[in-house]
Amino acid sequence: NAAGGIHATQVGELHVQIGIGCPSALVVMLQKSEFVDPDFSTLHLIRIVSHTYHQRLYLSQARIAHDGDSVARMFGIHHHIRCQIGSHTSCLRLVAPAILLFVWIAIFNALLHANKRFLPGEIISIHQSLWMIVLVLLFKARIGVSIMLVAFGIYSLWNTGYTALLSRRYWRVSRGDPFQNPSVRELLKMMLPLLLGYSLVYVNQLVDKSLVSGLATGSVTALNYAAVLSNLVGTFIITFSSVLFTYVTARIASDDQTGAAELTDHAAVVLLSVFLPVCLLTIFYAEEVVSIVYARGAFDAESVRICAQALRGYALMFPPLVFREVYSRFLYGHRDSKRPMVNSSIAVVCNIVLSIALCPRFGVFGVTVATSISVALCGVLNLHSAPIA
C-alpha cells in the first residue's frame, strides 16, 4: 500500500511537470508560427517533442528494469520501508507506459490553448478524478490499492483520445525532417530550461519532507494535507495565468508589446485583489478550515493544530504566487525560459537554506514559511526580469 501511494504521488508530479512545461513552450511556438512561420507543422512538432520524451522515458524504464533498488531510493523511500522497494519498482514498471501518454496529452492540450480553447484542458482533471473515484469504489475491495495503477492507465488513454479528437482540426501535415526546422530547434531550446525549473521544485519538496520527517509523529501527514489545501488556491492562480498566457503571447506575436505588457499588469492587479483577502482569511481561520476538511477519525486536535500551522505558512505564498506565475508567463511569451529557470533555481536554493534554518525552531510552520519566502523571491525576480524581456 505504501508503494502504491508513493507511486501515485511521484507519477502525478511528473504528469504536472509535463503538463505545464511542455505546453508553455508549445503555445509560444504555435502562436509565432501563425504569424511568421507557416512551415512550422503541428505534426512535426508532435513528432519531435514526443520523440524526445520517449527516449528519456525508455531509458528510465530500462534503468527500472535493471536497477530497481536505486530507482526506488531515488523516489524517496526511506530505510524503514526499504523492504517494500520490490513492490514500488513493480508499480513503476506498470505505470511507465502511461507516462508516455502524458506527453501526447500535453501536446494536444497546447494546440487547444493556442487556439483559445481552454475548457477542454481543464476538464481533463475532472475526467481523471471521475475515473479514479469510480474505479476505486468498484474494485478496491477486490484488488486493493493496485486499482490506482489501473486508473492511471485508463484515464491516460481516455484523456489522450479526448484531447486528440478535439485538437484534430488544428493539425497540419508537412514533409521533411523536423530537426531541420529552425522553429523546432528553438522549441527544444526553450523546453529544457522550463523542465529543469519545474524539476527543481520537486527536489525542494523532497528536502522539506525529509526535514519534517524528523519532527513529531504526524508532521509529514499534516504538511501534505496543508499542501493539498494551498494547492487548491494555487490551481486557480495557475489556471488563470495559463489562460492569460495565450492572449499575451498572441499580442507579442503580432508585435503589440504595449498591449501585452498592459494586459499582464492588469491581470496581476486583478488576481492580487482576489487572493490577498484569501490569504488573510486563511491565516486567521486556518484551524476552522482544517477542522472542517480533515478533523475526523484519527485526525485529532493535535493533528489539526499542526496542519493549521503549516497552512498558515503556505497562505503567505498566495499573493506572491500571482507575480511568479503571471510574469513568468510574460517571459515565456517572449520566448525567454532561461530567466524564469534561473529565478526559480535561486528561489529553490533560498527555500532549502531557510527550511534547514527554520525547521528546528519553528517546526512545520518554519518549513512552509520558507516556501512562501522563496515564492516571494521568485515573484520579485520575475517582475524585475519582465522589463528586460
Side-chain angles (χ1 to χ4, degrees):
N1 288 350
I6 292 170
H7 121 269
T9 300
Q10 300 295 342
V11 175
E13 289 176 349
L14 181 57
H15 191 181
V16 172
Q17 179 188 351
I18 295 172
I20 296 177
C22 184
S24 295
L26 293 181
V27 169
V28 174
M29 301 309 302
L30 289 167
Q31 293 280 10
K32 175 188 174 184
S33 67
E34 180 181 350
F35 292 95
V36 299
D37 193 358
D39 294 327
F40 186 51
S41 164
T42 299
L43 294 188
H44 265 171
L45 183 150
I46 292 173
R47 286 170 56 196
I48 189 68
V49 177
S50 60
H51 175 73
T52 302
Y53 268 110
H54 287 187
Q55 281 189 325
R56 292 176 58 193
L57 289 166
Y58 286 141
L59 289 174
S60 298
Q61 291 181 65
R63 183 178 177 187
I64 291 169
H66 291 92
D67 194 10
D69 286 2
S70 65
V71 172
R73 292 188 187 95
M74 178 183 68
F75 272 76
I77 303 180
H78 299 291
H79 66 279
H80 60 278
I81 57 170
R82 191 59 53 80
C83 60
Q84 298 176 348
I85 284 176
S87 177
H88 181 73
T89 304
S90 299
C91 291
L92 291 174
R93 288 195 184 103
L94 288 171
V95 301
I99 296 174
L100 299 177
L101 298 176
F102 296 166
V103 179
W104 290 87
I105 294 170
I107 293 171
F108 296 139
N109 197 25
L111 283 170
L112 293 169
H113 273 233
N115 288 278
K116 298 181 174 63
R117 295 185 64 187
F118 306 106
L119 185 59
E122 303 310 317
I123 292 178
I124 287 175
S125 60
I126 298 177
H127 293 168
Q128 175 177 327
S129 299
L130 288 176
W131 276 111
M132 183 68 73
I133 292 170
V134 171
L135 291 174
V136 167
L137 289 176
L138 292 177
F139 299 105
K140 181 182 178 183
R142 191 175 305 173
I143 62 177
V145 75
S146 298
I147 188 59
M148 297 177 68
L149 299 173
V150 178
F152 263 116
I154 290 177
Y155 74 63
S156 298
L157 282 171
W158 174 275
N159 283 335
T160 302
Y162 168 75
T163 52
L165 182 64
L166 292 180
S167 63
R168 180 65 183 86
R169 59 186 291 190
Y170 307 117
W171 295 9
R172 286 193 292 111
V173 182
S174 63
R175 305 291 181 182
D177 183 0
F179 286 98
Q180 300 304 315
N181 190 309
S183 295
V184 170
R185 292 197 294 269
E186 185 177 352
L187 168 69
L188 294 178
K189 287 174 62 177
M190 184 176 178
M191 282 181 59
L192 182 60
L194 277 169
L195 295 174
L196 179 59
Y198 285 117
S199 298
L200 290 173
V201 173
Y202 297 116
V203 173
N204 178 56
Q205 291 179 357
L206 288 174
V207 172
D208 286 351
K209 290 177 181 178
S210 297
L211 290 170
V212 173
S213 65
L215 300 176
T217 302
S219 295
V220 174
T221 301
L223 181 70
N224 289 335
Y225 283 1
V228 170
L229 294 175
S230 69
N231 288 341
L232 179 63
V233 177
T235 298
F236 287 104
I237 298 174
I238 292 171
T239 300
F240 186 91
S241 300
S242 297
V243 173
L244 168 72
F245 176 53
T246 301
Y247 289 95
V248 169
T249 304
R251 282 169 169 75
I252 294 171
S254 60
D255 204 26
D256 182 11
Q257 303 293 339
T258 302
E262 290 178 350
L263 179 60
T264 302
D265 291 339
H266 291 161
V269 171
V270 170
L271 283 176
L272 188 63
S273 66
V274 172
F275 288 99
L276 182 57
V278 173
C279 167
L280 296 175
L281 288 172
T282 304
I283 292 173
F284 289 124
Y285 297 101
E287 281 88 356
E288 288 79 0
V289 172
V290 173
S291 296
I292 292 171
V293 178
Y294 296 125
R296 57 186 60 88
F299 204 87
D300 55 16
E302 179 63 14
S303 299
V304 170
R305 185 188 67 82
I306 298 174
C307 188
Q309 286 182 344
L311 183 58
R312 283 194 179 93
Y314 279 136
L316 298 171
M317 171 177 62
F318 299 157
L321 184 63
V322 169
F323 292 99
R324 190 189 77 177
E325 294 299 320
V326 167
Y327 287 100
S328 66
R329 299 307 195 281
F330 182 78
L331 292 168
Y332 297 156
H334 283 88
R335 301 194 296 279
D336 182 358
S337 60
K338 183 177 179 181
R339 285 192 185 92
M341 185 271 290
V342 171
N343 296 342
S344 177
S345 302
I346 294 171
V348 167
V349 172
C350 173
N351 193 351
I352 293 173
V353 172
L354 287 175
S355 293
I356 294 172
L358 297 177
C359 183
R361 183 172 180 180
F362 299 103
V364 172
F365 179 70
V367 171
T368 56
V369 166
T371 298
S372 295
I373 293 174
S374 70
V375 170
L377 175 61
C378 189
V380 170
L381 291 174
N382 284 347
L383 180 62
H384 176 73
S385 300
I388 300 175

